[in-house]
């Protein structure tokens, strides 16, 4: 026995889709971009659109440019720094000793 679903086997938007229903598509350009790993990607742009200088490579995520012999350099990623590493960049060991001595003197009631 059928389940009573009258549109079984079809999906939303199914039907005769053609140029007559959608209208004519805009003229497109396919532009090649190369990343530093040698991957090529060819996104399509509208013929009247401004083409960007770089495009993200879908395979590795590096920036890609239009010159295959001179692709953009991959971004330099800095390693994760802890709070203590940032403090050590701002203060010398002598500054740290002075601050510690002042804090200990406050705790002991000497100041």
């Amino acid at each position: 026995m059928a389940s009573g679903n009258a549109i079984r086997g079809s999906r939303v938007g199914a039907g005769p889709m053609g140029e007559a229903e959608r209208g004519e598509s805009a003229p497109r350009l396919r532009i090649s971009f190369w990343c530093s790993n040698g991957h090529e990607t060819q996104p399509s742009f509208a013929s009247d659109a401004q083409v960007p200088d770089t495009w993200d490579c879908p395979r590795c995520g590096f920036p890609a440019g239009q010159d295959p012999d001179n692709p953009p350099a991959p971004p330099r990623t800095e390693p994760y720094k802890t709070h203590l590493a940032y403090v050590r960049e701002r203060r010398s060991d002598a500054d740290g000793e002075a601050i510690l001595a002042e804090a200990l003197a406050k705790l002991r009631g000497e100041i």
Side-chain angles (χ1 to χ4, degrees):
M1 179 168 181
S3 65
N5 190 352
I7 56 172
R8 185 176 180 177
S10 64
R11 65 182 193 278
V12 174
M17 293 290 284
E19 293 295 322
E21 276 189 32
R22 291 183 292 184
E24 300 212 10
S25 60
R28 311 292 279 169
L29 295 173
R30 294 191 71 78
I31 306 293
S32 293
F33 290 88
W34 288 270
C35 70
S36 60
N37 288 334
H39 302 140
E40 180 185 8
T41 183
Q42 292 184 331
S44 68
F45 298 94
S47 62
D48 59 347
Q50 182 178 0
V51 177
D53 294 332
T54 60
W55 191 262
D56 289 339
C57 177
R59 291 179 65 191
C60 64
F62 287 171
Q66 294 181 34
D67 184 6
D69 298 327
N70 190 16
R76 185 169 180 254
T77 55
E78 295 290 327
Y80 174 76
K81 289 186 190 178
T82 63
H83 175 69
L84 183 58
Y86 284 110
V87 170
R88 286 184 176 160
E89 283 181 0
R90 292 192 312 260
R91 307 217 188 265
S92 67
D93 288 340
D95 291 339
E97 290 293 329
I99 292 171
L100 178 61
E102 183 182 335
L104 289 175
K106 273 188 187 177
L107 285 174
R108 293 180 184 139
E110 297 171 5
I111 294 180

